[in-house]
Amino acid sequence: MVEVKHVSKTYGSKKVIENLSVDIQPGKITSFIGSNGAGKSTLLSMLSRLISKDEGQVLLHGRDIHSIKPNDLAKELSILKQSNHIDLRIQVRDLISFGRFPYSQGRLTKEDWVEINKAIHYMELEEIQERYIDELSGGQLQRAYIAMIIAQDTDYVMLDEPLNNLDMKHSVQIMKSLRKMVEEMGKTAVIVIHDINFASCYSDRIVALKHGEIVREGPTEEMINSEMLKEVYDMDIPVQLINGERICLHFK
Amino acid sequence: MLLKRKMLLLGLLATAFSVLFLFWDIGTAFGYVFPRRLVKVAAIILTGSCIAFSTVIFQTITNNRILTPSLIGLDSLYMLIQTAIVFVFGGRQLAMMENRFHFVLSVGLMVLFALLLFRLVFRMEQRNIYFLLLIGIICGTFFSSISSFMQMLIDPNEFSIVQDSMFASFNNVNDDLLGISAIIMILTGVYAFPMLKYLNVMALGQDQAVNLGIPYNKIVRRWLIIIAVLVSVSTALVGPITFLGLLVANVAHQLFQTYRHSYLIIGAVLISIITLAGGQFIVEHLFTFSIPISVIVNFVGGVYFLYLLLKENRSW
Amino acid sequence: MDIGGLTSQQQEILLVSRIPRLLSILIAGMSMSVIGFIMQQLSRNKFVSPTTAGTMDSARLGILAALILFPTASMLMKVSIAFVFALAGTFLFMKILDRIKFKDTIFIPLVGLMFGNIVGSLTTFIAYRFDMIQSIGSWLQGDFSMIVKGRYELLYLSIPALILAYFYANRFTIAGMGKDFASNLGLQYKQIVNIGLVIVAFVSSIVLLTVGSLPFLGLIIPNIVSIYQGDHLQKNLLHTALLGALFVLVCDILGRVLIFPYEISIGLTVGVLGSGIFLFLLLRRNAYAS
């Protein structure tokens, strides 16, 4: 289990996260929601030791993540930030193989290749595995990165706005594969997500942030309702049950 | 495999150029000329490797192909040290100074400066590597302001002594120093070796590197120190060649089109040797020593670089 | 004639040396700060200036070309050649900027300084061939001690350029927002940018030839002004000009009294103070950046 205890983060004179505590429940998809600047990405980055925190602790199985050896931590917990442009002449297959670095330090074994091929298959990247990443569309690149995380084979998977710049089809595809990972492989996913309806349809738990603090958290079915949305977004948003899913009508 | 064939070709070329340089027009005074040329070739291989190695790694760490470690003010500091010696003690002093003392002094000051710079920047909240570079460059401007002021004040004869040290040259490399440099380089190489495996991953960027379990800040700091030592040693040995690294690292990237650092580093080292040996050959036999090699290399490197920036069909 | 009880020798010094020196200090300080300001507006980057965009290095290459090709050329001729080079260099830099995807505030001046270094390497190459390293080096160093009557008047030419800049200030800012943004507001984007670059290149070459280079001046002055009074365009332009003149004047006086009877050249004082202040600005920016 990952526990966040009283963390704070200040940039200059601006408090981004203030005395925040939350538990990430294993085997579930947890979504961080909130408006721009609520501190979602900062929280996720602190959770995954990408940025340092000013106060507080993040515990993985009861141990502070900063006391765990970086290489061991990389076998437990992976993070994918919004896919940034890298200027590298590298094939999809090789990119995915980097996911095995924590295990093999760059000298790939047979077992590593088994995992890599599994990840490629899982994200349905067989046809483009020989392509160079600078020839890919945004959606393909994102899938390749997710495949890398899958090859990394960690119990905890954290994704920062994985649907950014993706069209509807690819967004659904990625959310479905996340769901599958959680259900079939027993992984725990934490995502920062903007689209409230994707959060509603695919996550088990929702953590709502505002001004660097948690407004509310709980199981999705208890969270997605007009009252909560009002509190988080300051908007009146009706919620309707369509095909068993809670859909927020936030367009008008 | 194509990459291996390219590497072989580079290896052959590097050997051919070195041999050509060693034996071309050697005449009857073999016993006199040959050992001298041998020292030059050794110096070429040493500095060429240092600069190529440090630039490739520097570009990987900064995730950028248009930067070079010479920029962090080391070149200007070296110039300032030379100018200050001439300014304070007179030109003869620079020429007379115990070679090893002078070498250790220059290397020591440059490494000290680099360490101070790294300390300053890494103590701050946002450890932005571009920020480090910009501060380095400004310190560089600061140093060159002082040196050019001193240069204006010293008399033209003395200036010519300073001018000699402004440009890298393989013509009067001291074999004592060659030995010291080789030892420092080998020690640095031994220290660097276990970190080589991180380079491919670091090329993916900081976030990915951290995700994949690399103690990023620690490793970057170590690499920067290694780079500072190598650049300082090669500068103190032959003088500043600012754009050599930029030239060879980019040619290596263009030639190999790969992310694998084993190819990039070895390739860049070989290209560097080819450039320097070929350049020195041209300097000696075409220009009859009228132009220092660093001026030519910087010129070619600069033009190639502008070409890359403007012509090649990609964005940076 | 008798001015305020001065002897004729004192009058002579005043007219031939002191007044020209004062005027050139004021004009050079104003000009360099104002063109720095224009460049920052055009590139939307607080750290771009003639020093950090290759303008100065290109102008220096131009002076070298003039010295080699037309050794007997008049000052005006030299300025014209330097101007052409400075313009081409700055233009090239803007072109490079277009191609750079990664528009980090700190990265851009880094590219500019690299570019300047490259142009500098061309200059060195040529200068070395013609054995002119030391004489081209002296152009690098700003110096007012050589300013006497008859040697500085060219500086007056930059005044109309500055007035033009004043009237175009708002348009430079809009152009800096980007081509689409400017066109949407009905502005001739290309034309405005070109006018800006011409002013920048023209003024830098004049100052470089008459005074020498004043590193970082165009960078620090506009930044200091924007710190103490925010970003108001035309008002800032005036403050920038005045503060620039004041800064150079103070530097000059410092340089003259510190090691009296000798003189520290203005290039050094501005270089040292300028790089110090620039570092301070950078560190300060870093502390407040989010």
Side-chain angles (χ1 to χ4, degrees):
Chain A
M1 185 157 92
V2 172
E3 301 158 79
V4 178
K5 298 205 154 156
H6 309 290
V7 297
S8 299
K9 181 78 187 171
T10 310
Y11 285 125
S13 54
K14 197 173 167 246
K15 283 228 166 207
V16 187
I17 295 284
E18 205 169 353
N19 193 18
L20 187 151
S21 300
V22 64
D23 290 347
I24 304 297
Q25 305 212 343
K28 305 223 156 111
I29 295 185
T30 303
S31 293
F32 292 171
I33 62 163
S35 19
N36 292 333
K40 311 178 291 280
S41 289
T42 310
L43 178 60
L44 194 78
S45 294
M46 284 195 287
L47 257 181
S48 52
R49 50 83 170 84
L50 281 190
I51 58 174
S52 63
K53 48 201 176 305
D54 300 334
E55 285 163 46
Q57 275 188 311
V58 176
L59 304 178
L60 173 70
H61 306 315
R63 285 180 67 194
D64 191 310
I65 53 166
H66 286 279
S67 71
I68 302 175
K69 276 204 339 221
N71 197 53
D72 295 339
L73 191 58
K75 296 178 194 166
E76 300 272 348
L77 183 157
S78 56
I79 163 88
L80 182 62
K81 294 272 282 181
Q82 297 165 34
S83 76
N84 38 3
H85 164 85
I86 50 161
D87 183 28
L88 212 56
R89 187 83 178 148
I90 181 172
Q91 285 174 334
V92 171
R93 205 177 157 71
D94 289 337
L95 180 75
I96 296 169
S97 76
F98 274 121
R100 300 305 296 171
F101 188 82
Y103 301 90
S104 60
Q105 303 291 304
R107 299 183 173 276
L108 296 173
T109 61
K110 268 205 186 102
E111 294 94 84
D112 288 325
W113 279 111
V114 172
E115 292 294 326
I116 294 163
N117 287 327
K118 250 166 54 185
I120 291 173
H121 178 70
Y122 202 85
M123 290 311 290
E124 296 166 19
L125 292 165
E126 283 97 342
E127 287 185 5
I128 57 168
Q129 57 173 315
E130 306 284 327
R131 299 251 293 271
Y132 284 93
I133 58 168
D134 49 5
E135 301 160 356
L136 302 184
S137 71
Q140 289 170 326
L141 186 61
Q142 184 75 339
R143 278 161 55 212
Y145 272 116
I146 291 181
M148 180 179 122
I149 298 271
I150 293 175
Q152 198 177 337
D153 194 22
T154 55
D155 287 343
Y156 288 86
V157 176
M158 317 210 163
L159 302 164
D160 191 356
E161 297 195 24
L163 307 184
N164 230 9
N165 297 323
L166 295 191
D167 56 25
M168 282 183 281
K169 183 178 161 213
H170 288 113
S171 300
V172 170
Q173 193 182 0
I174 285 193
M175 290 311 284
K176 277 193 172 148
S177 36
L178 266 182
R179 200 63 251 174
K180 218 166 95 186
M181 274 164 64
V182 170
E183 274 158 23
E184 292 175 5
M185 304 186 193
K187 296 193 182 299
T188 307
V190 184
I191 53 180
V192 166
I193 198 159
H194 255 295
D195 191 319
I196 181 79
N197 286 325
F198 270 117
S200 165
C201 293
Y202 288 94
S203 43
D204 302 303
R205 292 183 64 83
I206 285 182
V207 175
L209 284 98
K210 193 177 185 180
H211 304 313
E213 292 173 37
I214 293 182
V215 188
R216 274 203 209 183
E217 57 165 318
T220 306
E221 53 282 8
E222 289 169 24
M223 289 290 288
I224 300 294
N225 54 54
S226 300
E227 184 206 351
M228 188 282 294
L229 294 173
K230 173 85 182 165
E231 215 177 324
V232 177
Y233 294 103
D234 295 318
M235 283 170 73
D236 290 308
I237 303 173
V239 176
Q240 287 197 352
L241 216 55
I242 300 174
N243 292 340
E245 304 287 353
R246 289 177 179 73
I247 302 298
C248 311
L249 305 169
H250 53 78
F251 297 104
K252 267 187 148 174
Chain B
M1 206 173 135
L2 193 61
L3 290 185
K4 293 221 166 99
R5 217 177 299 158
K6 282 182 184 169
M7 193 63 83
L8 192 67
L9 188 67
L10 283 182
L12 287 176
L13 270 177
T15 321
F17 270 95
S18 309
V19 170
L20 181 72
F21 177 75
L22 278 175
F23 293 104
W24 178 264
D25 200 16
I26 195 154
T28 47
F30 185 85
Y32 175 78
V33 178
F34 188 70
R36 274 154 196 278
R37 289 197 181 171
L38 211 54
V39 169
K40 282 187 199 174
V41 169
I44 283 174
I45 293 173
L46 276 186
T47 42
S49 322
C50 265
I51 292 175
F53 181 75
S54 51
T55 311
V56 169
I57 289 166
F58 187 75
Q59 293 190 342
T60 297
I61 293 176
T62 52
N63 268 315
N64 205 296
R65 295 250 303 274
I66 58 179
L67 299 172
T68 156
S70 315
L71 275 182
I72 57 170
L74 292 175
D75 283 3
S76 328
L77 179 61
Y78 176 74
M79 276 316 302
L80 177 61
I81 298 170
Q82 312 314 312
T83 315
I85 293 173
V86 174
F87 185 74
V88 178
F89 303 111
R92 209 172 298 148
Q93 199 65 35
L94 184 68
M96 299 262 295
M97 202 176 230
E98 225 294 296
N99 271 320
R100 264 174 275 182
F101 173 71
H102 177 229
F103 179 78
V104 170
L105 180 76
S106 303
V107 172
L109 284 174
M110 283 190 277
V111 172
L112 186 72
F113 163 72
L115 292 182
L116 283 177
L117 187 68
F118 298 158
R119 257 191 90 90
L120 171 80
V121 174
F122 287 120
R123 269 224 318 252
M124 286 181 312
E125 169 68 3
Q126 285 164 316
R127 308 184 185 99
N128 183 336
I129 199 134
Y130 296 123
F131 188 66
L132 170 82
L133 287 181
L134 196 57
I135 292 194
I137 291 184
I138 295 159
C139 294
T141 317
F142 176 76
F143 296 144
S144 16
S145 283
I146 302 176
S147 353
S148 52
F149 178 64
M150 289 180 181
Q151 282 163 18
M152 268 177 35
L153 297 182
I154 53 189
D155 81 54
N157 290 326
E158 306 241 294
F159 180 79
S160 73
I161 296 171
V162 177
Q163 180 171 325
D164 280 344
S165 62
M166 269 164 89
F167 305 104
S169 145
F170 293 97
N171 296 332
N172 33 28
V173 175
N174 185 299
D175 32 357
D176 283 359
L177 301 185
L178 212 55
I180 303 179
S181 313
I183 292 169
I184 298 179
M185 284 174 202
I186 289 167
L187 289 180
T188 319
V190 170
Y191 178 62
F193 188 75
M195 299 195 300
L196 286 171
K197 63 181 181 200
Y198 295 132
L199 288 171
N200 289 342
V201 184
M202 289 172 95
L204 294 175
Q206 177 169 0
D207 288 346
Q208 286 301 345
V210 173
N211 170 46
L212 293 171
I214 292 178
Y216 188 81
N217 288 330
K218 196 171 91 188
I219 299 293
V220 164
R221 244 177 270 192
R222 286 195 189 161
W223 273 128
L224 285 176
I225 293 170
I226 290 171
I227 290 168
V229 170
L230 291 180
V231 173
S232 306
V233 168
S234 75
T235 307
L237 186 64
V238 296
I241 323 180
T242 316
F243 290 126
L244 176 68
L246 203 63
L247 178 72
V248 299
N250 276 300
V251 172
H253 272 285
Q254 263 202 324
L255 195 63
F256 289 101
Q257 301 271 345
T258 178
Y259 66 94
R260 290 190 175 87
H261 281 77
S262 44
Y263 288 102
L264 291 174
I265 290 175
I266 299 173
V269 167
L270 291 176
I271 295 167
S272 187
I273 294 170
I274 294 171
T275 312
L276 289 179
Q280 188 66 20
F281 184 79
I282 292 172
V283 165
E284 294 190 6
H285 299 286
L286 220 67
F287 290 110
T288 53
F289 294 101
S290 62
I291 283 192
I293 181 163
S294 72
V295 174
I296 298 179
V297 170
N298 282 346
F299 177 74
V300 175
V303 171
Y304 168 71
F305 192 66
L306 275 184
Y307 162 81
L308 274 189
L309 270 184
L310 293 168
K311 278 278 175 249
E312 205 186 304
N313 217 357
R314 66 194 288 249
S315 299
W316 294 88
Chain C
M1 202 172 61
D2 191 76
I3 313 171
L6 295 174
T7 66
S8 66
Q9 199 195 352
Q10 286 170 325
Q11 277 183 37
E12 176 88 6
I13 290 176
L14 190 69
L15 287 178
V16 174
S17 163
R18 294 291 166 86
I19 290 182
R21 184 166 178 152
L22 178 66
L23 283 175
S24 58
I25 285 169
L26 296 180
I27 298 174
M30 277 201 259
S31 315
M32 289 314 288
S33 318
V34 167
I35 59 172
F37 185 73
I38 295 174
M39 291 185 86
Q40 283 145 36
Q41 295 298 327
L42 281 178
S43 62
R44 292 263 97 201
N45 186 314
K46 289 242 181 239
F47 294 131
V48 169
S49 77
T51 328
T52 52
T55 310
M56 282 314 211
D57 297 278
S58 310
R60 204 172 295 132
L61 181 60
I63 294 176
L64 179 70
L67 288 176
I68 290 170
L69 297 175
F70 314 99
T72 55
S74 65
M75 273 300 255
L76 198 65
M77 178 82 171
K78 283 182 199 151
V79 164
S80 319
I81 296 172
F83 163 70
V84 171
F85 275 78
L87 188 62
T90 320
F91 199 75
L92 210 60
F93 176 70
M94 291 309 236
K95 199 108 191 143
I96 293 172
L97 273 196
D98 274 350
R99 299 181 64 95
I100 289 175
K101 260 197 208 138
F102 182 57
K103 301 261 186 211
D104 185 84
T105 332
I106 288 187
F107 185 59
I108 300 291
L110 216 51
V111 174
L113 285 162
M114 273 296 282
F115 175 63
N117 269 316
I118 290 166
V119 176
S121 76
L122 306 190
T123 311
T124 311
F125 180 71
I126 300 167
Y128 202 97
R129 287 245 69 179
F130 292 87
D131 200 17
M132 294 178 68
I133 295 279
Q134 198 175 15
S135 57
I136 199 70
S138 63
W139 290 111
L140 203 139
Q141 194 72 359
D143 193 357
F144 284 112
S145 61
M146 303 298 282
I147 299 272
V148 285
K149 200 170 161 206
R151 284 215 45 183
Y152 79 104
E153 284 78 358
L154 214 56
L155 269 178
Y156 288 133
L157 281 179
S158 67
I159 291 177
L162 293 188
I163 295 173
L164 189 68
Y166 184 76
F167 286 111
Y168 269 89
N170 284 322
R171 272 168 267 193
F172 292 145
T173 308
I174 296 172
M177 305 277 196
K179 188 174 182 173
D180 299 339
F181 187 91
S183 311
N184 177 41
L185 291 178
L187 225 65
Q188 301 272 0
Y189 174 76
K190 266 221 154 79
Q191 190 191 334
I192 301 291
V193 171
N194 287 342
I195 290 176
L197 295 186
V198 166
I199 294 178
V200 167
F202 183 65
V203 173
S204 347
S205 0
I206 289 179
V207 173
L208 190 63
L209 259 169
T210 44
V211 181
S213 83
L214 304 169
F216 294 117
L217 190 64
L219 202 143
I220 52 172
I221 302 295
N223 274 297
I224 293 173
V225 171
S226 100
I227 285 170
Y228 75 72
Q229 68 164 21
D231 284 324
H232 184 281
L233 247 203
Q234 277 177 338
K235 209 163 82 190
N236 275 18
L237 201 61
L238 216 60
H239 281 249
T240 302
L242 293 177
L243 189 68
L246 182 70
F247 182 80
V248 178
L249 189 58
V250 170
C251 285
D252 187 58
I253 293 172
L254 272 181
R256 284 167 67 183
V257 296
L258 276 181
I259 52 165
F260 184 82
Y262 303 103
E263 176 171 338
I264 303 172
S265 75
I266 189 82
L268 181 63
T269 32
V270 171
V272 169
L273 279 176
S275 35
I277 295 175
F278 185 33
L279 276 183
F280 172 75
L281 290 175
L282 269 173
L283 294 170
R284 183 181 173 282
R285 168 193 170 277
N286 212 49
Y288 285 83
S290 61

